């Protein structure tokens, strides 16, 4: 039997995530996931790919507040609203090939992040009015997403990580891969073939394998970047010259999912159809 074992959101793109027992599924993914993002002076996004030290910035939610802090300076917290009121200061930001509307938050937030990261940056929030669409070749019904890399949810099986760790000298934790939904049960890489499945009567659709960038090679505690796991994954998890690990997922419907929920696979597909 397949069941949800872990749930994560990443309120600010490429910063530390938050483990949840229960998550709200919305039309653009798990609630509060990647609604904030940091941009440079040209309003272009950046991530741990360019700045591994972003891993040192952690997040927490307390009531309606989003707290951000450096892992080595927890007392110096930045307090934000998890769902801020409109600021009226809108701008167009670029994430990958998409340009979409965001809202600047405050000079205070910009100064805090610029100081902690040692680079000039600004914090933006995606308001509800912004409808960033997923790739139309993969979309099911005008699906939208937040400031993700392109799809609302990333799913990974614990068995898949166990299989990878069985090939590595140094064991890697799940946080290297930044999933939203982790499940237990089944065979390694079973997420590859889960075309249509349901959790708590909410329908989900696996639409694209997750092509891996350098972020999984970054130790989230030290910021040190190595060769693994991409070196090992490239030996057995490659299609179309891309290293694949995990599955991008679309959601149809809204509601609550929780750790322990059963996953009912309704339709399967060919593996690694990337």
């Amino acid at each position: 039997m397949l069941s949800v074992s872990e749930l994560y959101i990443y309120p600010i793109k490429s910063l530390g995530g938050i483990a949840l027992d229960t998550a709200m599924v919305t039309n653009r993914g798990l609630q509060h996931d990647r609604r904030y993002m940091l941009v440079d002076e040209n309003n272009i996004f950046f991530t741990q790919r360019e700045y591994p030290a972003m891993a040192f910035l952690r997040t927490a939610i307390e009531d309606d507040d989003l707290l951000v802090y450096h892992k080595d300076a927890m007392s110096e917290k930045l307090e934000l609203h998890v769902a801020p009121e409109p600021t009226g200061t809108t701008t167009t930001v670029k994430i990958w090939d998409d340009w979409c509307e965001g809202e600047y938050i405050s000079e205070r937030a910009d100064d805090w992040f610029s100081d902690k990261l040692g680079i000039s940056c600004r914090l933006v929030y995606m308001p509800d009015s912004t409808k960033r669409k997923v790739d139309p070749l993969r979309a099911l019904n005008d699906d939208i997403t937040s400031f993700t890399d392109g799809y609302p949810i990333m799913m990974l099986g614990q068995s898949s990580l166990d299989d990878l760790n069985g090939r590595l000298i140094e064991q890697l934790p799940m946080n290297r891969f930044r999933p939203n939904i982790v499940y237990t049960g089944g065979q390694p890489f079973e997420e590859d073939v889960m075309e249509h499945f349901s959790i708590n009567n909410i329908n989900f659709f696996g639409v694209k394998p997750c092509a891996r960038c350098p972020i999984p090679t970054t130790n989230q505690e030290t910021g040190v970047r190595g060769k693994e796991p991409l070196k090992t994954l490239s030996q057995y998890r490659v299609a179309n010259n891309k290293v694949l690990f995990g599955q991008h997922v679309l959601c149809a419907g809204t509601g609550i999912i929780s750790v322990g929920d059963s996953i009912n696979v309704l339709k399967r597909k060919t593996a690694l159809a990337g």
Side-chain angles (χ1 to χ4, degrees), residues 55-91:
F56 298 154
L57 300 184
R58 308 297 166 81
T59 58
I61 293 177
E62 294 183 1
D63 298 322
D64 294 329
D65 293 328
L66 173 63
L67 307 179
V68 192
Y69 57 93
H70 192 286
K71 74 180 188 68
D72 296 327
M74 295 182 62
S75 62
E76 302 174 11
K77 291 184 175 70
L78 173 67
E79 294 187 11
L80 304 166
H81 293 294
V82 68
E85 293 294 328
T87 64
T89 309
T90 60
T91 187

Side-chain angles (χ1 to χ4, degrees), residues 214-227:
I215 288 180
T217 67
T218 303
N219 186 310
Q220 297 295 294
E221 295 301 319
T222 66
V224 174
R225 182 167 287 168
K227 294 182 179 180

Side-chain angles (χ1 to χ4, degrees), residues 91-107:
T91 187
T92 303
V93 298
K94 185 177 184 181
I95 172 170
W96 296 115
D97 294 329
D98 296 336
W99 288 94
C100 58
E101 290 299 306
E103 288 190 333
Y104 289 130
I105 297 302
S106 68
E107 290 186 9

Side-chain angles (χ1 to χ4, degrees), residues 161 165 170-178 219-220:
L161 179 57
N165 277 331
E170 179 182 353
Q171 306 293 283
L172 300 181
M174 187 63 74
N175 68 5
R176 289 287 190 102
F177 304 96
R178 304 179 67 80
N219 186 310
Q220 297 295 294

Side-chain angles (χ1 to χ4, degrees), residues 138 189-194 207-211 233 236-240 242-247 269-274:
R138 306 281 184 173
F189 314 111
E190 191 154 345
E191 61 271 13
D192 290 349
V193 301
M194 293 164 59
V207 294
K208 184 180 184 294
C210 183
L233 285 171
Y236 72 113
R237 291 288 302 172
V238 174
N240 297 327
K242 297 178 180 178
V243 175
L244 306 177
F245 196 64
Q247 186 79 190
K269 61 181 177 179
T270 302
L272 290 182

